[in-house]
mmCIF file of all heavy atoms in Angstrom:
data_model
loop_
_atom_site.group_PDB
_atom_site.id
_atom_site.type_symbol
_atom_site.label_atom_id
_atom_site.label_comp_id
_atom_site.label_asym_id
_atom_site.label_seq_id
_atom_site.Cartn_x
_atom_site.Cartn_y
_atom_site.Cartn_z
ATOM 1 N N ARG O 25 0.840 -1.195 0.000
ATOM 2 C CA ARG O 25 0.002 0.005 0.005
ATOM 3 C C ARG O 25 0.862 1.249 0.000
ATOM 4 O O ARG O 25 0.597 2.217 -0.726
ATOM 5 C CB ARG O 25 -0.893 -0.011 1.221
ATOM 6 C CG ARG O 25 -1.778 1.206 1.332
ATOM 7 C CD ARG O 25 -2.725 1.088 2.507
ATOM 8 N NE ARG O 25 -3.314 2.379 2.749
ATOM 9 C CZ ARG O 25 -3.514 2.916 3.946
ATOM 10 N NH1 ARG O 25 -3.174 2.251 5.027
ATOM 11 N NH2 ARG O 25 -4.047 4.084 4.071
ATOM 12 N N THR O 26 1.924 1.251 0.796
ATOM 13 C CA THR O 26 2.808 2.403 0.889
ATOM 14 C C THR O 26 3.506 2.640 -0.449
ATOM 15 O O THR O 26 3.618 3.785 -0.912
ATOM 16 C CB THR O 26 3.843 2.186 2.022
ATOM 17 O OG1 THR O 26 3.133 1.986 3.245
ATOM 18 C CG2 THR O 26 4.743 3.395 2.156
ATOM 19 N N GLN O 27 3.967 1.562 -1.089
ATOM 20 C CA GLN O 27 4.623 1.708 -2.386
ATOM 21 C C GLN O 27 3.656 2.227 -3.443
ATOM 22 O O GLN O 27 4.002 3.081 -4.248
ATOM 23 C CB GLN O 27 5.229 0.363 -2.828
ATOM 24 C CG GLN O 27 6.403 -0.045 -1.990
ATOM 25 C CD GLN O 27 6.846 -1.475 -2.264
ATOM 26 O OE1 GLN O 27 6.214 -2.211 -3.010
ATOM 27 N NE2 GLN O 27 7.961 -1.880 -1.659
ATOM 28 N N ALA O 28 2.430 1.728 -3.429
ATOM 29 C CA ALA O 28 1.423 2.177 -4.398
ATOM 30 C C ALA O 28 1.134 3.661 -4.205
ATOM 31 O O ALA O 28 0.996 4.417 -5.179
ATOM 32 C CB ALA O 28 0.154 1.351 -4.286
ATOM 33 N N GLN O 29 0.985 4.071 -2.967
ATOM 34 C CA GLN O 29 0.714 5.478 -2.686
ATOM 35 C C GLN O 29 1.866 6.368 -3.154
ATOM 36 O O GLN O 29 1.654 7.439 -3.698
ATOM 37 C CB GLN O 29 0.447 5.689 -1.199
ATOM 38 C CG GLN O 29 -0.902 5.159 -0.724
ATOM 39 C CD GLN O 29 -1.051 5.269 0.762
ATOM 40 O OE1 GLN O 29 -0.088 5.405 1.524
ATOM 41 N NE2 GLN O 29 -2.285 5.139 1.220
ATOM 42 N N ALA O 30 3.066 5.902 -2.930
ATOM 43 C CA ALA O 30 4.247 6.684 -3.344
ATOM 44 C C ALA O 30 4.295 6.817 -4.864
ATOM 45 O O ALA O 30 4.632 7.859 -5.398
ATOM 46 C CB ALA O 30 5.511 6.033 -2.808
ATOM 47 N N MET O 31 3.936 5.741 -5.590
ATOM 48 C CA MET O 31 3.945 5.791 -7.048
ATOM 49 C C MET O 31 2.868 6.736 -7.582
ATOM 50 O O MET O 31 3.028 7.328 -8.636
ATOM 51 C CB MET O 31 3.778 4.373 -7.603
ATOM 52 C CG MET O 31 5.015 3.558 -7.391
ATOM 53 S SD MET O 31 4.948 1.778 -7.804
ATOM 54 C CE MET O 31 3.841 1.611 -9.120
ATOM 55 N N MET O 32 1.807 6.906 -6.831
ATOM 56 C CA MET O 32 0.721 7.826 -7.238
ATOM 57 C C MET O 32 1.004 9.246 -6.787
ATOM 58 O O MET O 32 0.178 10.130 -6.991
ATOM 59 C CB MET O 32 -0.621 7.348 -6.697
ATOM 60 C CG MET O 32 -1.048 6.015 -7.275
ATOM 61 S SD MET O 32 -2.667 5.409 -6.766
ATOM 62 C CE MET O 32 -2.896 6.012 -5.141
ATOM 63 N N GLY O 33 2.113 9.440 -6.107
ATOM 64 C CA GLY O 33 2.463 10.776 -5.650
ATOM 65 C C GLY O 33 1.831 11.178 -4.329
ATOM 66 O O GLY O 33 1.905 12.320 -3.934
ATOM 67 N N ALA O 34 1.205 10.220 -3.661
ATOM 68 C CA ALA O 34 0.604 10.501 -2.361
ATOM 69 C C ALA O 34 1.718 10.683 -1.312
ATOM 70 O O ALA O 34 2.862 10.266 -1.526
ATOM 71 C CB ALA O 34 -0.327 9.366 -1.945
ATOM 72 N N GLY O 35 1.354 11.259 -0.208
ATOM 73 C CA GLY O 35 2.355 11.539 0.826
ATOM 74 C C GLY O 35 2.645 10.354 1.736
ATOM 75 O O GLY O 35 2.706 10.510 2.933
ATOM 76 N N ALA O 36 2.796 9.193 1.174
ATOM 77 C CA ALA O 36 3.084 7.997 1.980
ATOM 78 C C ALA O 36 4.490 8.091 2.557
ATOM 79 O O ALA O 36 5.441 8.415 1.852
ATOM 80 C CB ALA O 36 2.933 6.752 1.148
ATOM 81 N N PRO O 37 4.641 7.795 3.817
ATOM 82 C CA PRO O 37 5.958 7.881 4.472
ATOM 83 C C PRO O 37 6.823 6.642 4.183
ATOM 84 O O PRO O 37 7.069 5.814 5.044
ATOM 85 C CB PRO O 37 5.576 7.971 5.959
ATOM 86 C CG PRO O 37 4.300 7.203 6.065
ATOM 87 C CD PRO O 37 3.592 7.450 4.763
ATOM 88 N N VAL O 38 7.285 6.500 2.943
ATOM 89 C CA VAL O 38 8.004 5.317 2.518
ATOM 90 C C VAL O 38 9.235 5.086 3.381
ATOM 91 O O VAL O 38 9.488 3.970 3.836
ATOM 92 C CB VAL O 38 8.364 5.410 1.034
ATOM 93 C CG1 VAL O 38 9.224 4.219 0.602
ATOM 94 C CG2 VAL O 38 7.115 5.530 0.174
ATOM 95 N N ASP O 39 10.027 6.131 3.622
ATOM 96 C CA ASP O 39 11.265 5.958 4.397
ATOM 97 C C ASP O 39 10.957 5.486 5.805
ATOM 98 O O ASP O 39 11.671 4.646 6.340
ATOM 99 C CB ASP O 39 12.053 7.260 4.432
ATOM 100 C CG ASP O 39 12.669 7.616 3.087
ATOM 101 O OD1 ASP O 39 12.781 6.717 2.244
ATOM 102 O OD2 ASP O 39 12.990 8.789 2.879
ATOM 103 N N GLU O 40 9.904 6.025 6.396
ATOM 104 C CA GLU O 40 9.524 5.591 7.753
ATOM 105 C C GLU O 40 9.108 4.129 7.758
ATOM 106 O O GLU O 40 9.480 3.392 8.680
ATOM 107 C CB GLU O 40 8.376 6.469 8.278
ATOM 108 C CG GLU O 40 8.769 7.882 8.571
ATOM 109 C CD GLU O 40 7.566 8.743 8.971
ATOM 110 O OE1 GLU O 40 6.599 8.198 9.520
ATOM 111 O OE2 GLU O 40 7.627 9.954 8.731
ATOM 112 N N VAL O 41 8.348 3.727 6.781
ATOM 113 C CA VAL O 41 7.903 2.344 6.720
ATOM 114 C C VAL O 41 9.106 1.413 6.469
ATOM 115 O O VAL O 41 9.191 0.348 7.087
ATOM 116 C CB VAL O 41 6.808 2.137 5.649
ATOM 117 C CG1 VAL O 41 6.515 0.679 5.429
ATOM 118 C CG2 VAL O 41 5.557 2.902 6.033
ATOM 119 N N LEU O 42 10.040 1.814 5.637
ATOM 120 C CA LEU O 42 11.225 0.988 5.393
ATOM 121 C C LEU O 42 12.083 0.856 6.662
ATOM 122 O O LEU O 42 12.634 -0.210 6.943
ATOM 123 C CB LEU O 42 12.055 1.560 4.237
ATOM 124 C CG LEU O 42 11.409 1.413 2.857
ATOM 125 C CD1 LEU O 42 12.273 2.090 1.805
ATOM 126 C CD2 LEU O 42 11.138 -0.025 2.503
ATOM 127 N N GLU O 43 12.179 1.924 7.425
ATOM 128 C CA GLU O 43 12.914 1.859 8.698
ATOM 129 C C GLU O 43 12.208 0.907 9.664
ATOM 130 O O GLU O 43 12.843 0.107 10.332
ATOM 131 C CB GLU O 43 13.051 3.238 9.296
ATOM 132 C CG GLU O 43 13.833 3.237 10.616
ATOM 133 C CD GLU O 43 15.226 2.618 10.537
ATOM 134 O OE1 GLU O 43 15.893 2.769 9.506
ATOM 135 O OE2 GLU O 43 15.622 1.965 11.541
ATOM 136 N N LYS O 44 10.889 0.996 9.702
ATOM 137 C CA LYS O 44 10.132 0.083 10.561
ATOM 138 C C LYS O 44 10.328 -1.336 10.092
ATOM 139 O O LYS O 44 10.502 -2.280 10.882
ATOM 140 C CB LYS O 44 8.632 0.404 10.523
ATOM 141 C CG LYS O 44 8.262 1.660 11.229
ATOM 142 C CD LYS O 44 8.263 1.417 12.726
ATOM 143 C CE LYS O 44 7.765 2.625 13.484
ATOM 144 N NZ LYS O 44 8.030 2.510 14.897
ATOM 145 N N LEU O 45 10.344 -1.556 8.775
ATOM 146 C CA LEU O 45 10.537 -2.896 8.211
ATOM 147 C C LEU O 45 11.875 -3.482 8.684
ATOM 148 O O LEU O 45 11.931 -4.637 9.081
ATOM 149 C CB LEU O 45 10.487 -2.840 6.693
ATOM 150 C CG LEU O 45 10.728 -4.156 5.959
ATOM 151 C CD1 LEU O 45 9.694 -5.205 6.361
ATOM 152 C CD2 LEU O 45 10.703 -3.933 4.470
ATOM 153 N N ARG O 46 12.926 -2.654 8.704
ATOM 154 C CA ARG O 46 14.230 -3.144 9.201
ATOM 155 C C ARG O 46 14.122 -3.580 10.661
ATOM 156 O O ARG O 46 14.644 -4.630 11.058
ATOM 157 C CB ARG O 46 15.273 -2.063 9.028
ATOM 158 C CG ARG O 46 15.792 -1.905 7.627
ATOM 159 C CD ARG O 46 16.964 -0.936 7.559
ATOM 160 N NE ARG O 46 16.572 0.441 7.465
ATOM 161 C CZ ARG O 46 16.197 1.056 6.335
ATOM 162 N NH1 ARG O 46 16.189 0.395 5.225
ATOM 163 N NH2 ARG O 46 15.845 2.324 6.361
ATOM 164 N N GLN O 47 13.445 -2.789 11.472
ATOM 165 C CA GLN O 47 13.252 -3.131 12.885
ATOM 166 C C GLN O 47 12.417 -4.409 13.023
ATOM 167 O O GLN O 47 12.736 -5.268 13.850
ATOM 168 C CB GLN O 47 12.593 -1.977 13.623
ATOM 169 C CG GLN O 47 13.393 -0.727 13.700
ATOM 170 C CD GLN O 47 12.578 0.469 14.179
ATOM 171 O OE1 GLN O 47 11.460 0.339 14.659
ATOM 172 N NE2 GLN O 47 13.176 1.645 14.080
ATOM 173 N N TRP O 48 11.365 -4.510 12.246
ATOM 174 C CA TRP O 48 10.477 -5.691 12.330
ATOM 175 C C TRP O 48 11.226 -6.948 11.924
ATOM 176 O O TRP O 48 11.062 -8.015 12.530
ATOM 177 C CB TRP O 48 9.254 -5.486 11.483
ATOM 178 C CG TRP O 48 8.358 -4.356 11.942
ATOM 179 C CD1 TRP O 48 8.282 -3.820 13.190
ATOM 180 C CD2 TRP O 48 7.451 -3.605 11.139
ATOM 181 N NE1 TRP O 48 7.372 -2.810 13.210
ATOM 182 C CE2 TRP O 48 6.840 -2.644 11.959
ATOM 183 C CE3 TRP O 48 7.093 -3.659 9.784
ATOM 184 C CZ2 TRP O 48 5.884 -1.771 11.497
ATOM 185 C CZ3 TRP O 48 6.147 -2.761 9.333
ATOM 186 C CH2 TRP O 48 5.537 -1.862 10.179
ATOM 187 N N LEU O 49 12.072 -6.835 10.901
ATOM 188 C CA LEU O 49 12.837 -8.007 10.463
ATOM 189 C C LEU O 49 13.791 -8.474 11.564
ATOM 190 O O LEU O 49 13.929 -9.683 11.796
ATOM 191 C CB LEU O 49 13.615 -7.703 9.174
ATOM 192 C CG LEU O 49 12.765 -7.579 7.919
ATOM 193 C CD1 LEU O 49 13.599 -7.019 6.765
ATOM 194 C CD2 LEU O 49 12.137 -8.904 7.568
ATOM 195 N N ASP O 50 14.438 -7.537 12.240
ATOM 196 C CA ASP O 50 15.292 -7.914 13.374
ATOM 197 C C ASP O 50 14.514 -8.668 14.443
ATOM 198 O O ASP O 50 14.993 -9.692 14.945
ATOM 199 C CB ASP O 50 15.938 -6.674 14.006
ATOM 200 C CG ASP O 50 17.079 -6.105 13.174
ATOM 201 O OD1 ASP O 50 17.589 -6.819 12.289
ATOM 202 O OD2 ASP O 50 17.448 -4.928 13.407
ATOM 203 N N ARG O 51 13.348 -8.172 14.752
ATOM 204 C CA ARG O 51 12.512 -8.832 15.764
ATOM 205 C C ARG O 51 12.078 -10.235 15.308
ATOM 206 O O ARG O 51 12.090 -11.189 16.086
ATOM 207 C CB ARG O 51 11.301 -7.976 16.084
ATOM 208 C CG ARG O 51 11.645 -6.678 16.810
ATOM 209 C CD ARG O 51 10.485 -5.840 17.110
ATOM 210 N NE ARG O 51 9.654 -6.447 18.141
ATOM 211 C CZ ARG O 51 8.524 -5.925 18.574
ATOM 212 N NH1 ARG O 51 8.069 -4.770 18.069
ATOM 213 N NH2 ARG O 51 7.817 -6.517 19.508
ATOM 214 N N MET O 52 11.707 -10.343 14.037
ATOM 215 C CA MET O 52 11.253 -11.623 13.514
ATOM 216 C C MET O 52 12.379 -12.662 13.510
ATOM 217 O O MET O 52 12.146 -13.832 13.749
ATOM 218 C CB MET O 52 10.674 -11.473 12.112
ATOM 219 C CG MET O 52 9.307 -10.823 12.111
ATOM 220 S SD MET O 52 8.450 -10.859 10.525
ATOM 221 C CE MET O 52 9.580 -9.991 9.462
ATOM 222 N N LEU O 53 13.600 -12.203 13.226
ATOM 223 C CA LEU O 53 14.720 -13.133 13.224
ATOM 224 C C LEU O 53 14.922 -13.794 14.589
ATOM 225 O O LEU O 53 15.182 -14.987 14.690
ATOM 226 C CB LEU O 53 16.003 -12.442 12.777
ATOM 227 C CG LEU O 53 16.061 -12.055 11.307
ATOM 228 C CD1 LEU O 53 17.313 -11.247 11.005
ATOM 229 C CD2 LEU O 53 15.972 -13.271 10.410
ATOM 230 N N GLY O 54 14.783 -13.001 15.647
ATOM 231 C CA GLY O 54 14.892 -13.547 17.003
ATOM 232 C C GLY O 54 13.847 -14.606 17.285
ATOM 233 O O GLY O 54 14.130 -15.663 17.874
ATOM 234 N N VAL O 55 12.635 -14.348 16.847
ATOM 235 C CA VAL O 55 11.546 -15.299 17.065
ATOM 236 C C VAL O 55 11.740 -16.523 16.213
ATOM 237 O O VAL O 55 11.499 -17.657 16.652
ATOM 238 C CB VAL O 55 10.177 -14.630 16.786
ATOM 239 C CG1 VAL O 55 9.070 -15.643 16.837
ATOM 240 C CG2 VAL O 55 9.916 -13.496 17.769
ATOM 241 N N LEU O 56 12.170 -16.342 14.976
ATOM 242 C CA LEU O 56 12.384 -17.483 14.105
ATOM 243 C C LEU O 56 13.414 -18.458 14.645
ATOM 244 O O LEU O 56 13.274 -19.646 14.498
ATOM 245 C CB LEU O 56 12.805 -17.028 12.709
ATOM 246 C CG LEU O 56 11.632 -16.674 11.783
ATOM 247 C CD1 LEU O 56 12.114 -15.867 10.605
ATOM 248 C CD2 LEU O 56 10.929 -17.942 11.332
ATOM 249 N N LYS O 57 14.446 -17.920 15.301
ATOM 250 C CA LYS O 57 15.428 -18.794 15.921
ATOM 251 C C LYS O 57 14.786 -19.711 16.970
ATOM 252 O O LYS O 57 15.035 -20.918 17.014
ATOM 253 C CB LYS O 57 16.555 -17.980 16.565
ATOM 254 C CG LYS O 57 17.451 -17.273 15.566
ATOM 255 C CD LYS O 57 18.448 -16.376 16.258
ATOM 256 C CE LYS O 57 19.224 -15.551 15.266
ATOM 257 N NZ LYS O 57 20.109 -14.578 15.903
ATOM 258 N N ARG O 58 13.915 -19.110 17.801
ATOM 259 C CA ARG O 58 13.220 -19.918 18.805
ATOM 260 C C ARG O 58 12.261 -20.926 18.181
ATOM 261 O O ARG O 58 12.157 -22.049 18.639
ATOM 262 C CB ARG O 58 12.449 -18.988 19.770
ATOM 263 C CG ARG O 58 13.294 -18.147 20.630
ATOM 264 C CD ARG O 58 12.544 -17.379 21.728
ATOM 265 N NE ARG O 58 11.123 -17.325 21.619
ATOM 266 C CZ ARG O 58 10.386 -16.215 21.623
ATOM 267 N NH1 ARG O 58 10.980 -15.048 21.725
ATOM 268 N NH2 ARG O 58 9.087 -16.259 21.517
ATOM 269 N N ILE O 59 11.609 -20.526 17.107
ATOM 270 C CA ILE O 59 10.680 -21.424 16.439
ATOM 271 C C ILE O 59 11.411 -22.629 15.875
ATOM 272 O O ILE O 59 11.031 -23.781 16.123
ATOM 273 C CB ILE O 59 9.892 -20.682 15.326
ATOM 274 C CG1 ILE O 59 8.919 -19.691 15.940
ATOM 275 C CG2 ILE O 59 9.161 -21.662 14.415
ATOM 276 C CD1 ILE O 59 8.252 -18.733 14.945
ATOM 277 N N VAL O 60 12.489 -22.394 15.133
ATOM 278 C CA VAL O 60 13.234 -23.479 14.502
ATOM 279 C C VAL O 60 13.848 -24.404 15.558
ATOM 280 O O VAL O 60 13.900 -25.626 15.382
ATOM 281 C CB VAL O 60 14.276 -22.936 13.506
ATOM 282 C CG1 VAL O 60 15.238 -24.000 13.051
ATOM 283 C CG2 VAL O 60 13.588 -22.296 12.330
ATOM 284 N N GLU O 61 14.299 -23.848 16.670
ATOM 285 C CA GLU O 61 14.869 -24.672 17.740
ATOM 286 C C GLU O 61 13.869 -25.667 18.303
ATOM 287 O O GLU O 61 14.237 -26.718 18.785
ATOM 288 C CB GLU O 61 15.397 -23.802 18.862
ATOM 289 C CG GLU O 61 16.650 -23.033 18.524
ATOM 290 C CD GLU O 61 17.030 -22.024 19.594
ATOM 291 O OE1 GLU O 61 16.258 -21.806 20.569
ATOM 292 O OE2 GLU O 61 18.091 -21.389 19.458
ATOM 293 N N ASN O 62 12.561 -25.307 18.260
ATOM 294 C CA ASN O 62 11.549 -26.147 18.894
ATOM 295 C C ASN O 62 10.592 -26.831 17.928
ATOM 296 O O ASN O 62 9.788 -27.664 18.343
ATOM 297 C CB ASN O 62 10.723 -25.276 19.867
ATOM 298 C CG ASN O 62 11.548 -24.876 21.059
ATOM 299 O OD1 ASN O 62 11.847 -25.681 21.929
ATOM 300 N ND2 ASN O 62 11.977 -23.619 21.095
ATOM 301 N N LEU O 63 10.674 -26.536 16.656
ATOM 302 C CA LEU O 63 9.789 -27.130 15.683
ATOM 303 C C LEU O 63 10.355 -28.461 15.225
ATOM 304 O O LEU O 63 11.457 -28.533 14.717
ATOM 305 C CB LEU O 63 9.621 -26.169 14.489
ATOM 306 C CG LEU O 63 8.555 -26.478 13.472
ATOM 307 C CD1 LEU O 63 7.167 -26.531 14.120
ATOM 308 C CD2 LEU O 63 8.557 -25.409 12.373
ATOM 309 N N ALA O 64 9.600 -29.526 15.456
ATOM 310 C CA ALA O 64 10.060 -30.875 15.177
ATOM 311 C C ALA O 64 10.535 -31.004 13.710
ATOM 312 O O ALA O 64 9.825 -30.697 12.776
ATOM 313 C CB ALA O 64 8.971 -31.895 15.446
ATOM 314 N N GLY O 65 11.773 -31.417 13.548
ATOM 315 C CA GLY O 65 12.368 -31.640 12.233
ATOM 316 C C GLY O 65 12.899 -30.405 11.527
ATOM 317 O O GLY O 65 13.525 -30.516 10.488
ATOM 318 N N ALA O 66 12.654 -29.228 12.062
ATOM 319 C CA ALA O 66 13.149 -28.011 11.435
ATOM 320 C C ALA O 66 14.655 -27.910 11.599
ATOM 321 O O ALA O 66 15.197 -28.206 12.664
ATOM 322 C CB ALA O 66 12.459 -26.771 12.027
ATOM 323 N N THR O 67 15.333 -27.506 10.536
ATOM 324 C CA THR O 67 16.786 -27.418 10.585
ATOM 325 C C THR O 67 17.286 -25.992 10.390
ATOM 326 O O THR O 67 18.351 -25.638 10.860
ATOM 327 C CB THR O 67 17.427 -28.310 9.527
ATOM 328 O OG1 THR O 67 16.894 -27.919 8.217
ATOM 329 C CG2 THR O 67 17.144 -29.779 9.770
ATOM 330 N N SER O 68 16.509 -25.169 9.661
ATOM 331 C CA SER O 68 16.943 -23.794 9.409
ATOM 332 C C SER O 68 15.754 -22.979 8.928
ATOM 333 O O SER O 68 14.679 -23.502 8.698
ATOM 334 C CB SER O 68 18.065 -23.743 8.376
ATOM 335 O OG SER O 68 17.605 -24.266 7.133
ATOM 336 N N PHE O 69 15.994 -21.679 8.749
ATOM 337 C CA PHE O 69 14.967 -20.818 8.178
ATOM 338 C C PHE O 69 15.624 -19.833 7.268
ATOM 339 O O PHE O 69 16.844 -19.621 7.307
ATOM 340 C CB PHE O 69 14.188 -20.097 9.280
ATOM 341 C CG PHE O 69 14.988 -19.085 10.066
ATOM 342 C CD1 PHE O 69 15.137 -17.789 9.616
ATOM 343 C CD2 PHE O 69 15.615 -19.469 11.255
ATOM 344 C CE1 PHE O 69 15.881 -16.858 10.332
ATOM 345 C CE2 PHE O 69 16.379 -18.535 11.963
ATOM 346 C CZ PHE O 69 16.497 -17.240 11.526
#
């Protein structure tokens, strides 16, 4: 949605969303480590 708004010239805060995305990815990586450690048969992500 943010990318579409930016392409239409709307005032979407693309940089802010991308910064949030970086933070969210860091958080997800921590959780994924715990998931893979406990998910039967999982070896990596």
Side-chain angles (χ1 to χ4, degrees):
R25 179 176 166 221
T26 302
Q27 290 170 354
Q29 288 174 341
M31 288 172 31
M32 295 184 328
V38 175
D39 290 340
E40 291 175 28
V41 171
L42 291 176
E43 180 57 35
K44 288 284 185 191
L45 178 59
R46 283 187 276 278
Q47 294 168 11
W48 295 336
L49 289 170
D50 284 343
R51 292 179 70 182
M52 286 190 300
L53 289 175
V55 173
L56 275 164
K57 291 175 187 175
R58 292 189 347 234
I59 290 171
V60 169
E61 288 171 354
N62 291 287
L63 190 59
T67 56
S68 63
F69 67 87

